[in-house]
Amino acid sequence: MDEVKVVVAHSERVTLRVGDVFLKVDADQARIDIEVEAMALAPVPTPEVLWRKPPVLALAAVPGTVLGRLGEPSTASPAAWTSAGAAIRQLHDAPLPPRPGRAGRRLTELAAELDGECELLVANGVLPADLVTRNRQVAEAALRPWTPAFTHGDLQIAHVFADGDKITGIIDWSEAGQGDALYDLATFTLGHEEHLGEVIAGYGTDVDLDVIRGWWSLRSLLGVRWLVEHGFDPFAPGCEVDVLRSRM
């Protein structure tokens, strides 16, 4: 045990690292239930569950380093990004988990939330009206029927670890469940559009790029206010607001 490091902390959950052990403290035990269940079902490398004593879940650290972080250039090799695409495809092809996940929300519900959020972003002066209007148009492409897949639901690049070109672990499964496969691909490449081709090459099938861009806009529009309210900075270079600006 070297020191206690705060990995992430906000009003909903806290993750601490103590040596090679991650301690997740979550106010919502249902999220922990989903995480443990999803890791047991997923056909990709996941953290080992060491013990669980509500509200704490202890996980072993996975080997390797993250492929990157939003707002920072990725130092991972092109082959690592391609390997990540192959791992995501393996997950999406697996038997469906028992319940919907974050990527499996009903389209009517999602569209209503998006429209309400767009109104608030403009009314509260968080973002310019033209930026919101343009990205709401782009987001429409994501609001279409999809075939359910086993999705991670929060597949940020900081949740995917690699050792060289090999994917060694995918973490943070609390949003997992049945959902739209392209939501995962879009989340993974958010802010790293330059690596989308490598990911798709590993994924091994044609992907509708308009839908990917739609999810980039949709996820960013829905995330800006939440991020600000929870102590994050979506206005930092390369982060959500820059993703929205790139669609102008």
Side-chain angles (χ1 to χ4, degrees), residues 102-118 136 139-140 142-144 146 180 183 214-215 218-219 222:
R102 181 69 178 174
R105 300 174 62 195
R106 291 184 301 173
L107 296 181
T108 52
E109 172 191 338
L110 191 58
E113 181 182 353
L114 178 60
D115 288 339
E117 190 63 29
C118 288
R136 177 60 183 87
E140 188 66 27
L143 300 174
R144 87 282 176 231
W146 41 266
D180 179 2
Y183 179 91
W215 277 123
L218 197 156
R219 182 181 171 97
L222 290 183

Side-chain angles (χ1 to χ4, degrees), residues 74-99:
S74 170
T75 59
S77 68
W81 282 88
T82 301
S83 295
I88 297 169
R89 178 62 183 273
Q90 187 178 7
L91 174 66
H92 291 167
D93 284 346
L96 293 175
R99 60 179 63 86

Side-chain angles (χ1 to χ4, degrees), residues 16-219:
L16 307 172
R17 180 168 186 168
V18 186
D20 288 331
V21 177
F22 285 88
L23 302 175
K24 303 189 73 171
V25 185
D26 200 315
D28 184 352
Q29 285 305 292
R31 281 196 294 255
I32 297 296
D33 293 339
I34 291 169
E35 179 156 15
V36 172
E37 178 183 70
M39 289 191 295
L41 295 174
V44 295
T46 61
E48 177 189 359
V49 177
L50 299 176
W51 52 265
R52 181 182 179 188
K53 187 175 182 180
V56 182
L57 173 67
L59 301 170
V62 298
T65 56
V66 297
L67 261 70
R69 299 187 185 280
L70 186 62
E72 301 176 6
S74 170
T75 59
S77 68
W81 282 88
T82 301
S83 295
I88 297 169
R89 178 62 183 273
Q90 187 178 7
L91 174 66
H92 291 167
D93 284 346
L96 293 175
R99 60 179 63 86
R102 181 69 178 174
R105 300 174 62 195
R106 291 184 301 173
L107 296 181
T108 52
E109 172 191 338
L110 191 58
E113 181 182 353
L114 178 60
D115 288 339
E117 190 63 29
C118 288
E119 290 179 10
L120 288 172
L121 288 170
V122 175
N124 295 338
V126 179
L127 294 175
D130 62 339
L131 183 64
V132 172
T133 299
R134 170 57 182 157
N135 278 276
R136 177 60 183 87
Q137 294 169 347
V138 174
E140 188 66 27
L143 300 174
R144 87 282 176 231
W146 41 266
T147 301
F150 189 156
T151 53
H152 180 281
D154 191 21
L155 198 62
Q156 305 171 43
I157 55 170
H159 292 163
V160 180
F161 287 70
D163 184 359
D165 299 338
K166 180 182 178 182
I167 300 304
T168 54
I170 299 176
I171 65 171
D172 284 357
W173 292 81
S174 61
E175 308 284 356
Q178 299 178 26
D180 179 2
L182 297 194
Y183 179 91
D184 271 356
L185 289 174
T187 301
F188 183 62
T189 55
L190 182 75
H192 288 272
E193 185 172 353
E194 70 276 11
H195 294 291
L196 179 59
E198 295 152 4
V199 174
I200 293 174
Y203 196 70
T205 189
D206 290 338
V207 169
D208 189 329
L209 298 182
D210 286 338
V211 174
I212 295 288
R213 297 183 187 104
W215 277 123
W216 286 338
S217 290
L218 197 156
R219 182 181 171 97

